[in-house]
Amino acid sequence: MESLTDQVAVPRDLLDALQNDRLVVFAGAGASMGAPTNLPNFKELARQLAIGVGYPHVLKNGEPIDAYLGQIEGYCGTDLDRLTEDLLSVRRRSPNSLHMAIASLASVSTLRLVTTNYDQCFQSALKSLDLKFTEYVAPVLPLGDAFTGIVHLHGQAPLGPGQELVLTDSDFGRAYVNRGWATRFLTEMFENFTVLFVGYSGDDTIMRYLTRGLPPASKHYAFTAPEGEASWRALGIVPLVYPPGVDHGALPEAIVAMVDQASDDPIEHFRRVIQIVDSGFPLNAVDETYIRRICAKAEGYVPLSGGVFSTPCRSVI
């Protein structure tokens, strides 16, 4: 393991995959839970939908969430997609530091991002960094072995014409079994790329669907707390375990550190520092982490338009 931060260790071949354009980031609900996005995870979404339609039964521990959502849909007699769209209020959500950190990977490598989230915060993050991208919304998906951009594997809100969300057990059945478009995409993706899971736990209901396309002896990764290590190993995913006392809050810094390590162009470092400081203060979490990391390596000063940066830094040009 090579330590890219003081908190999270990242294997060398994961960094190599980023540098060689072979990395896919697979992002789940946990990526959109932090402020200012503050979206619910799948379990909390189900709970809120049940309250919204007056469904009387409480989700039991261990009960499959997709099946519970199917029961809610049967109870209320209406499609849950629009109710979910209204509940998430996606038009008013802003990207958080983890969205920004993941988006910044596209500055050093070809963007390959798959998400089961319904929000568009990754698109907002990429636009704020002036990064170009293509996007696909299920069930219209690219080939899993040759895609770039963002893939919304379970749909996207706001809903476009003819689109739907993967929510209930019936929806999952169509996506992964009956029609199988999600399984076909994932099988090709897992066989051809290194995959880094972010924002999931190994015992999430959704993981039993996502890992069906996982080939034997594959080498894919997930960040996790120590108590989640066993569940990831059981799925055939290599856990990247946080040290004691460290939680998912370390993720943005770890991912930005990967970007820093992958970028060895001093001119690009210089240009990014100029862009960040000229954009004004206060800095967002990703930009602040980047500036601190550049300056931590340093001696001398980085010249900026309008003056010099006041923190000692090793020259980046």
Side-chain angles (χ1 to χ4, degrees), residues 115 117-118 120 123 134-142 150-165 181:
T115 181
N117 296 350
Y118 310 122
Q120 296 184 24
Q123 287 93 323
T134 54
E135 57 184 311
Y136 304 88
V137 182
V140 182
L141 299 181
I150 302 176
V151 173
H152 277 271
L153 192 64
H154 289 174
Q156 175 183 263
L159 292 162
Q163 293 180 359
E164 60 184 38
L165 304 180
W181 43 262

Side-chain angles (χ1 to χ4, degrees), residues 108-129:
V108 295
S109 183
T110 300
L111 175 68
R112 291 186 176 90
L113 172 62
V114 180
T115 181
T116 53
N117 296 350
Y118 310 122
D119 61 82
Q120 296 184 24
C121 289
F122 284 116
Q123 287 93 323
S124 297
L126 287 160
K127 289 174 183 176
S128 73
L129 296 173

Side-chain angles (χ1 to χ4, degrees), residues 148-208:
T148 62
I150 302 176
V151 173
H152 277 271
L153 192 64
H154 289 174
Q156 175 183 263
L159 292 162
Q163 293 180 359
E164 60 184 38
L165 304 180
V166 177
L167 279 165
T168 69
D169 48 356
S170 295
D171 297 333
F172 276 93
R174 287 193 297 274
Y176 289 88
V177 182
N178 298 339
R179 295 173 65 189
W181 43 262
T183 301
R184 286 193 296 273
F185 171 81
L186 291 176
T187 299
E188 293 177 344
M189 182 197 73
F190 284 131
E191 288 177 346
N192 288 276
F193 296 100
T194 298
V195 178
L196 175 62
F197 287 94
V198 177
Y200 296 100
S201 69
D203 54 5
D204 281 344
T205 299
I206 203 171
M207 292 308 301
R208 75 173 187 266

Side-chain angles (χ1 to χ4, degrees), residues 2 4 10-20 257-259 261-262:
E2 178 176 346
L4 300 184
V10 176
R12 184 74 224 180
D13 55 356
L14 184 57
L15 183 59
D16 288 344
L18 174 63
Q19 292 174 315
N20 296 325
M258 290 174 62
V259 174
Q261 287 287 98

Side-chain angles (χ1 to χ4, degrees), residues 30-53:
S32 292
M33 291 175 65
T37 314
N38 297 323
L39 286 171
N41 61 20
F42 200 43
K43 183 176 182 179
E44 178 62 18
L45 173 64
R47 190 189 71 83
Q48 293 183 22
L49 286 169
I51 292 172
V53 303

Side-chain angles (χ1 to χ4, degrees), residues 67-287:
Y68 181 72
L69 286 165
Q71 295 167 21
I72 295 173
E73 189 169 79
Y75 172 82
C76 67
T78 186
D79 194 299
L80 292 183
D81 289 6
R82 294 297 178 185
L83 296 175
T84 300
E85 182 180 13
D86 292 342
L87 190 154
L88 295 179
S89 301
V90 292
R91 296 176 183 84
R92 298 194 296 271
R93 303 293 176 169
S94 299
N96 58 37
S97 61
L98 185 52
H99 293 126
M100 296 297 295
I102 291 171
S104 72
L105 292 170
S107 67
V108 295
S109 183
T110 300
L111 175 68
R112 291 186 176 90
L113 172 62
V114 180
T115 181
T116 53
N117 296 350
Y118 310 122
D119 61 82
Q120 296 184 24
C121 289
F122 284 116
Q123 287 93 323
S124 297
L126 287 160
K127 289 174 183 176
S128 73
L129 296 173
D130 294 323
L131 296 171
K132 305 294 184 182
F133 61 94
T134 54
E135 57 184 311
Y136 304 88
V137 182
V140 182
L141 299 181
L143 297 174
D145 61 350
F147 78 99
T148 62
I150 302 176
V151 173
H152 277 271
L153 192 64
H154 289 174
Q156 175 183 263
L159 292 162
Q163 293 180 359
E164 60 184 38
L165 304 180
V166 177
L167 279 165
T168 69
D169 48 356
S170 295
D171 297 333
F172 276 93
R174 287 193 297 274
Y176 289 88
V177 182
N178 298 339
R179 295 173 65 189
W181 43 262
T183 301
R184 286 193 296 273
F185 171 81
L186 291 176
T187 299
E188 293 177 344
M189 182 197 73
F190 284 131
E191 288 177 346
N192 288 276
F193 296 100
T194 298
V195 178
L196 175 62
F197 287 94
V198 177
Y200 296 100
S201 69
D203 54 5
D204 281 344
T205 299
I206 203 171
M207 292 308 301
R208 75 173 187 266
Y209 291 102
L210 298 182
T211 55
R212 285 181 177 180
L214 197 64
S218 60
K219 200 166 187 180
H220 305 297
Y221 300 90
F223 288 104
T224 183
E227 59 269 21
E229 181 176 3
S231 59
W232 282 112
R233 290 197 184 280
L235 293 171
I237 308 292
V238 179
L240 305 178
V241 182
Y242 304 133
V246 175
D247 59 20
H248 292 294
L251 267 178
E253 182 185 353
I255 291 173
V256 171
M258 290 174 62
V259 174
D260 294 349
Q261 287 287 98
S263 175
D264 57 4
D265 185 343
I267 299 300
E268 286 304 313
H269 281 303
F270 173 72
R271 288 173 178 166
R272 185 174 174 191
V273 169
I274 295 290
Q275 181 182 46
I276 289 171
V277 178
D278 280 355
S279 67
F281 295 87
L283 303 180
N284 65 47
V286 171
D287 288 346

